[in-house]
Amino acid sequence: MARCPWGASTPDYVEYHDTEWGVELHGTDALYERMSLEAFQSGLSWITILRKRPAFRTAFAGFDPKLVAEFGPADVERLMADAGIVRNRMKIDAAIHNARVIAEQDVDLDALLWSFAPSDHVRPTTIADVPAITNESKAMAKELKRRGFKFLGPTTCYALMQATGMVDDHIATCFRATA
């Protein structure tokens, strides 16, 4: 079965590519999880995050932003000691801070993030045609920063857009590519 080249490299990637990546995702908790995991991925391989995702879900209270917003210094130390996740204090602090932004501003995260989905995205022909940053991801990052979110630049925002189906970047020969 023809897949995007990255999606055929490991069994973990096959499963993620075939069932999750590029599928429309909605809901505050689900999108908060993805935005957090994309931020944790910065500078690392996605496979690292994918394999640690169950531990992340446990460590971050199922990515319920209302619960994570209540995390304090003891929780940060607990997370820093958790070998099951990426132990980067800046990323941990950002995930907690971003949960507080969602909770304190009563942000409809679903509507906010999806407002940046392009209406006329052109699916790439080859992997070389897949961008890392777009005007939409730049605009999303700028708006998130304006609202107080941290660790979500244009590249991370574009990865979020790809992962949650805001854009379809399955290449032309991939069985998952939509018309």
Side-chain angles (χ1 to χ4, degrees), residues 63-85:
F63 286 99
D64 180 334
K66 291 181 182 97
L67 296 176
V68 177
E70 299 298 321
F71 282 14
D75 293 295
V76 172
E77 293 311 312
R78 171 184 57 81
L79 294 167
M80 287 298 296
D82 187 342
I85 67 167

Side-chain angles (χ1 to χ4, degrees), residues 107-122:
V107 173
D108 182 350
L109 192 61
D110 194 292
L112 174 63
L113 296 178
W114 276 89
S115 73
F116 294 97
S119 57
D120 61 346
H121 180 73
V122 176

Side-chain angles (χ1 to χ4, degrees), residues 35-36 38-39 98 141-142 144 149-154 156-157 160:
M35 93 181 337
S36 297
E38 292 294 347
N98 292 343
K142 183 177 180 180
L144 292 174
F149 287 90
K150 295 181 178 178
F151 232 95
L152 294 160
T156 300
C157 285
L160 176 67

Side-chain angles (χ1 to χ4, degrees), residues 93-161:
D93 288 344
I96 296 168
H97 173 84
N98 292 343
R100 290 178 182 145
V101 171
I102 294 166
E104 291 169 5
Q105 294 186 8
D106 198 25
V107 173
D108 182 350
L109 192 61
D110 194 292
L112 174 63
L113 296 178
W114 276 89
S115 73
F116 294 97
S119 57
D120 61 346
H121 180 73
V122 176
R123 189 171 28 85
T125 304
T126 69
I127 201 74
D129 299 324
V130 177
I133 296 173
T134 63
N135 289 335
E136 293 86 0
S137 74
K138 289 178 193 175
M140 179 189 282
K142 183 177 180 180
E143 178 61 16
L144 292 174
K145 182 177 181 178
R146 185 189 74 75
R147 289 175 176 265
F149 287 90
K150 295 181 178 178
F151 232 95
L152 294 160
T155 303
T156 300
C157 285
Y158 194 68
L160 176 67
M161 294 173 87

Side-chain angles (χ1 to χ4, degrees), residues 22 50 60 72 76 167:
L50 196 56
F60 283 91
V76 172
V167 295

